[in-house]
Amino acid sequence: MNGAQIVVEVLKQQGVEYIFGYPGGACMPIFDALVDAPEQKIILVRHEQGGTHMADGYARATGKTGVVLVTSGPGATNTVTGILTAQMDSVPLVILTGQTVTPNLGKDAFQEADVFGVTMPIVKHSFLVRDVKDLSRVVNEAFHLASTGRPGPVLVDLPKDVVSNEWDEDFKVDLDLPGYQVQTSGNSDSIEYVAELLSKSKRPLLYVGAGAVISGAGKQVQKLAEKLQAPVTTTLLGKGSFSEMHPLSVGMLGMHGTAYANKAVIECDLIMAIGARWDDRITGKVSEFCPDATKIHIDIDPAEFGKIIQPEVSVNGDAAEVLEELILLVNKLDTTDWLKKIDQWKIKYPLKFPKRGGLRAQHVLVELDRLTGSNAIIATDVGQHQMWAAQFCKSIRERQWLSSGGAGTMGYGFPAAIGAQLGKPDDLVVAIVGDGGFQMTMCELATAAIHKLPLKILIINNSYLGMVRQWQQLFFDNRESGVDMEGNPDFVKIGESFGIKGFHLRRAGDVKKVLKKALDYNDGPCIVEAVVVKADNVFPMIPAGAAVSDMLINEPPKSQKMQKPVGST
Amino acid sequence: MEEKFAISIYVCNKPGVLVRLAQTFTRRGYNIDSLVVSPAHDHHFSRITVVVQGEPVTFDQIIRQLNKLVDVVHAMHHSDTDVVDREMALFKVRVKPNQRAEIFQIVEVFRAKTVDITDNSLVIETTGDSLKIDALENLLGPMGLLEMVRSGKLIMKRGLEET
Ligand SMILES: Cc1ncc(C[n+]2csc(CCOP(=O)(O)OP(=O)(O)O)c2C)c(N)n1
Ligand SMILES: [Mg+2]
């Protein structure tokens, strides 16, 4: 068999169902081999960036590894944004890139790009295969690396001659990764120390991130929280690791988190990170972040320890395994006063939005959440709509919330929803996107239409790059610069041209009616274009680089001069 | 205040490993002072000694980031007393035959070697710890030193423990 057939056979052995791909000269042998492998379906995307986000959405929704196949040069470089997105959020991807033949490497051959070099700082690992004999091992290693430990994108660059050469492969899998170790069970002494610290706490807070979702530690987080009677806050990507409907949930923390989560951060005497990495969107000014609270850090990636915050104790291991052991060692804490205080904050500072003045994005999202029973898989793009969705669409289970957190990649949401719908055909999938970001990858409407995916595309159209406009209003004296989306198309008509059903939503009174129609529509994808109040803002907000205690719960009066963000973007 | 650290790294002999190491240091603002790479006893692996300069507060964390690299088997920092450290250097000096005696005296004191002589030049070889080489450089500097090339620091753990 030839190298391409070897690659395809390994994909089959790895249980790959979908390959998000786009062909070109250098990867033609692999596309050719796929003709004889009906188990692996090629999803022909419209742009390689979209394909990479689809693989990402597929991976986040299912927990399986997403696979991308593209050609060399521009095909490969078009995946870069998707690779960064997956790397920042620890998403398992295998990206197979075609490459020019090995004798041409480094000679500026047609469509040659050193993608191995280009992507090196944004992958978990990468390979350039120079010998057909190594193919089976390397592709298996790529899947192993992508999906174990702290997951991430792994790129395999495949020169055309290597995948064309013949080799009698026996597919015995012997991985050769002596430098790769994953610690899943935590150190028992450290876990005992964690239990001891917890037992002394009067105002504990569990701070849960994507690591818990990846580990599948939802059940353990709930058991621990209930046993301790400790409140739980989740990060943007931790949404779903603990039901936001649970009485112990204080929702999302950080820049646009709930006021009560951030107040709990300020007043807690112990904060325990479970698969979270003290991102600057969470900590704000690090030197003022919970200075008096005991910090505990549980993570599968030891390189996160001490990177931002020096914890009192760290436990290197898989969240579910570590918590399972910890649960046995802890008892109920006396948190009655603490929980009462938090409940008072919940009453005093609820998430809210103005009910008048036109159609509000928040109103649409609250209604969506209600009509779907908080049960849909939500994929968001990046901007104000993302933060409102995070606030108002409650997550109740793992892998239900897909959003680009670390990279904040506009253009992510819609293709991610396509990948999620393919991986979860029986779930309701909703893409919540902005008018700006949607235009970055909306060519994938064709991909969604061809496969008749029943996903819903909710476009929050404020005719602005709203999040940037909000910052200009608050921190740059309302001097609008490059944020007006003048020239937006009629998104419903765009959809129609792909044969996709669309609904306009313009009036607050129509929200329920239109959303219901869209949710009841089942003949392929459909679009809801919600034309919302143009200049609305997301609150609460902790200005970038400011201390959590500087949180603005409501919009500050126009007269209040705000300082430009410092110390962070 | 920035400080210098010597780190020993044991890596798989795979393409790109050096770039990944260099990127790890660069991203965290560490400067590489010297870098020595050579095949290990087992040729599937290489041993690297790198001397870097940077903020001590981030140092442990950088070691962890190095260890996180898939092709790094281990990266370690050792205290000066735990290791033998050596460096080699060559010095090229412009010197007339009648001035050679003075230089030979220095070479003698430093237990260095003269490895090339022409009518108007000498090449001197020396091995030792980095401080000794610094001292020799300082002495030869005003005496017509034209070029210096240093191997970079090598370290090896004392006793049976692995470097
Ligand atoms: C690829 C990319 N470019 C630029 C940005 C910076 N950015 C963050 S939010 C935002 C505005 C997004 O506008 P839109 O999609 O309309 O969403 P809205 O904020 O209006 O809800 C921009 C430009 C980004 N995150 N990603
Ligand atoms: Mg917008």
Side-chain angles (χ1 to χ4, degrees):
Chain A
M1 62 203 314
N2 69 17
Q5 290 165 321
I6 294 173
V7 171
V8 170
E9 178 59 27
V10 175
L11 296 183
K12 185 171 147 196
Q13 291 171 5
Q14 288 287 346
V16 173
E17 335 166 63
Y18 292 111
I19 296 167
F20 299 92
Y22 207 92
C27 65
M28 284 181 68
I30 304 178
F31 271 78
D32 185 58
L34 283 168
V35 173
D36 303 318
E39 303 91 339
Q40 286 93 254
K41 294 184 252 336
I42 299 174
I43 302 297
L44 176 61
V45 302
R46 292 302 182 264
H47 186 294
E48 292 89 347
Q49 179 187 349
T52 316
H53 293 326
M54 283 179 213
D56 175 313
Y58 171 87
R60 291 194 211 213
T62 63
K64 297 184 225 165
T65 300
V67 179
V68 181
L69 170 63
V70 297
T71 193
S72 64
T77 55
N78 272 349
T79 65
V80 167
T81 302
I83 294 174
L84 174 75
T85 306
Q87 169 76 351
M88 292 295 258
D89 293 348
S90 310
V91 178
L93 293 189
V94 169
I95 304 101
L96 305 169
T97 53
Q99 181 55 281
T100 187
V101 293
T102 46
N104 277 354
L105 284 172
K107 297 180 187 168
D108 300 325
F110 178 64
Q111 291 195 330
E112 182 194 2
D114 176 10
V115 278
F116 182 70
V118 167
T119 57
M120 202 175 267
I122 55 166
V123 290
K124 178 168 175 183
H125 196 59
S126 48
F127 300 92
L128 168 58
V129 187
R130 286 175 181 271
D131 190 337
V132 63
K133 296 189 187 93
D134 298 332
L135 265 179
S136 155
R137 176 180 50 80
V138 166
V139 179
N140 274 303
E141 285 173 358
F143 275 90
H144 180 70
L145 290 169
S147 59
T148 56
R150 178 178 183 169
V154 179
L155 181 133
V156 186
D157 205 15
L158 298 166
K160 193 174 183 179
D161 52 339
V162 173
V163 291
S164 305
N165 288 343
E166 294 286 326
W167 172 246
D168 187 15
E169 178 60 52
D170 63 8
F171 296 102
K172 288 209 185 85
V173 186
D174 273 322
L175 303 184
D176 178 28
L177 298 168
Y180 183 69
Q181 297 104 12
V182 178
Q183 172 83 33
T184 57
S185 63
N187 175 294
S188 294
D189 291 345
S190 305
I191 296 177
E192 269 171 40
Y193 187 39
V194 171
E196 187 191 321
L197 291 172
L198 278 169
S199 72
K200 291 181 193 148
S201 170
K202 299 248 171 322
R203 298 185 306 282
L205 179 64
L206 307 183
Y207 144 53
V208 188
V213 174
I214 295 165
S215 155
K219 232 178 22 212
Q220 287 80 0
V221 170
Q222 186 179 339
K223 255 201 259 173
L224 179 68
E226 286 173 353
K227 195 163 177 196
L228 290 168
Q229 282 300 301
V232 180
T233 182
T234 61
T235 66
L236 177 68
L237 299 188
K239 268 173 75 78
S241 57
F242 185 72
S243 170
E244 289 175 294
M245 303 295 205
H246 195 289
L248 287 170
S249 170
V250 291
M252 179 175 82
L253 81 169
M255 184 176 277
H256 290 297
T258 64
Y260 34 96
N262 287 328
K263 285 190 173 290
V265 165
I266 296 166
E267 295 206 11
C268 68
D269 65 4
L270 177 150
I271 182 165
M272 179 156 100
I274 304 169
R277 60 184 175 87
W278 320 95
D279 178 79
D280 52 87
R281 285 298 190 258
I282 304 286
T283 59
K285 193 173 190 177
V286 175
S287 58
E288 289 179 33
F289 181 76
C290 308
D292 302 321
T294 303
K295 285 140 196 138
I296 299 171
H297 195 171
I298 299 172
D299 208 298
I300 192 119
D301 177 3
E304 290 299 344
F305 300 143
K307 189 179 84 178
I308 308 292
I309 292 280
Q310 198 62 53
E312 172 80 25
V313 54
S314 58
V315 186
N316 181 205
D318 174 77
E321 276 190 48
V322 172
L323 293 190
E324 202 66 64
E325 203 173 327
L326 179 62
I327 288 162
L328 301 176
L329 304 177
V330 298
N331 296 306
K332 182 177 177 314
L333 304 176
D334 179 16
T335 51
T336 321
D337 291 348
W338 176 227
L339 293 177
K340 204 180 277 166
K341 192 163 197 183
I342 288 174
D343 283 340
Q344 282 162 0
W345 286 331
K346 285 186 182 175
I347 293 164
K348 195 158 171 209
Y349 308 107
L351 285 168
K352 59 177 196 286
F353 57 91
K355 295 282 186 308
R356 290 164 196 280
L359 178 61
R360 305 264 171 189
Q362 301 94 313
H363 176 188
V364 180
L365 296 168
V366 166
E367 194 58 44
L368 175 77
D369 188 49
R370 225 175 48 79
L371 290 173
T372 57
S374 309
N375 218 352
I377 294 179
I378 305 274
T380 78
D381 215 76
V382 169
Q384 290 183 313
H385 63 280
Q386 174 191 33
M387 290 301 127
W388 283 320
Q391 293 177 339
F392 293 102
C393 295
K394 303 299 174 201
S395 296
I396 56 175
R397 59 191 163 87
E398 291 162 351
R399 303 200 175 279
Q400 188 195 353
W401 172 260
L402 324 176
S403 194
S404 168
T409 302
M410 282 173 71
Y412 171 81
F414 171 47
I418 294 177
Q421 185 74 80
L422 283 163
K424 289 280 186 184
D426 299 329
D427 280 53
L428 170 62
V429 177
V430 183
I432 299 173
V433 299
D435 49 310
F438 182 57
Q439 292 184 67
M440 289 194 170
T441 46
M442 69 180 176
C443 54
E444 305 303 342
L445 282 169
T447 317
I450 299 163
H451 297 280
K452 279 204 168 288
L453 300 176
L455 58 88
K456 318 295 168 199
I457 306 156
L458 173 57
I459 303 168
I460 302 296
N461 183 359
N462 52 10
S463 299
Y464 263 130
L465 298 175
M467 187 55 96
V468 180
R469 190 208 52 73
Q470 172 169 349
W471 282 43
Q472 288 175 348
Q473 180 190 332
L474 291 174
F475 309 114
F476 290 84
D477 301 324
N478 206 15
R479 284 151 55 94
E480 285 183 11
S481 179
V483 290
D484 194 336
M485 284 275 99
E486 189 189 345
N488 268 347
D490 178 328
F491 290 104
V492 170
K493 279 194 184 150
I494 293 257
E496 277 167 7
S497 66
F498 286 91
I500 289 175
K501 180 81 184 162
F503 303 92
H504 281 116
L505 172 53
R506 294 202 172 88
R507 292 181 340 150
D510 294 341
V511 171
K512 197 167 167 182
K513 190 177 72 192
V514 173
L515 286 182
K516 261 194 163 154
K517 268 196 213 158
L519 292 170
D520 287 342
Y521 181 81
N522 261 321
D523 192 22
C526 75
I527 290 176
V528 176
E529 179 186 351
V531 180
V532 300
V533 172
K534 284 187 72 168
D536 213 346
N537 292 324
V538 186
F539 287 99
M541 176 177 196
I542 302 167
V548 178
S549 53
D550 294 332
M551 170 172 56
L552 306 164
I553 296 181
N554 300 303
E555 180 134 6
K558 291 251 160 27
S559 54
Q560 185 180 334
K561 183 107 172 101
M562 305 290 300
Q563 270 191 352
K564 284 199 170 66
V566 285
S568 180
T569 46
Chain B
M1 253 298 282
E2 298 206 335
E3 278 177 37
K4 279 190 187 187
F5 306 93
I7 307 169
S8 67
I9 313 175
Y10 191 57
V11 301
C12 301
N13 236 334
K14 302 232 170 126
V17 59
L18 204 55
V19 185
R20 291 183 215 271
L21 291 172
Q23 280 178 348
T24 306
F25 289 117
T26 311
R27 283 187 72 190
R28 300 304 304 267
Y30 271 57
N31 278 323
I32 296 179
D33 258 29
S34 76
L35 173 71
V36 185
V37 187
S38 62
H41 183 49
D42 175 345
H43 281 233
H44 296 101
F45 299 91
S46 291
R47 283 196 190 276
I48 296 176
T49 310
V50 54
V51 178
V52 292
Q53 212 170 120
E55 293 292 335
V57 280
T58 48
F59 185 67
D60 285 342
Q61 212 264 325
I62 287 198
I63 297 272
R64 284 197 285 267
Q65 281 186 312
L66 293 171
N67 274 309
K68 177 174 167 177
L69 295 172
V70 169
D71 287 334
V72 169
V73 181
H74 64 246
M76 285 190 272
H77 171 53
H78 311 272
S79 70
D80 290 348
T81 50
D82 287 350
V83 294
V84 187
D85 74 273
R86 283 293 178 276
E87 191 173 351
M88 180 181 161
L90 298 172
F91 300 90
K92 181 181 287 181
V93 190
R94 182 196 297 278
V95 58
K96 301 224 174 68
N98 60 355
Q99 296 170 323
R100 277 182 195 151
E102 198 181 346
I103 296 215
F104 284 154
Q105 228 173 15
I106 295 173
V107 168
E108 174 84 24
V109 171
F110 275 80
R111 299 214 192 96
K113 269 194 279 186
T114 309
V115 290
D116 180 64
I117 295 193
T118 69
D119 277 355
N120 46 18
S121 72
L122 285 178
V123 175
I124 297 158
E125 172 200 312
T126 189
T127 310
D129 63 26
S130 303
L131 287 176
K132 171 180 158 183
I133 295 175
D134 292 345
L136 186 53
E137 179 194 358
N138 287 337
L139 281 172
L140 293 174
M143 305 184 73
L145 181 60
L146 291 176
E147 283 176 18
M148 171 181 73
V149 52
R150 297 170 69 146
S151 65
K153 191 187 271 211
L154 298 174
I155 59 179
M156 184 170 274
K157 184 108 174 170
R158 294 176 188 276
L160 276 180
E161 264 176 71
E162 195 177 359
T163 310

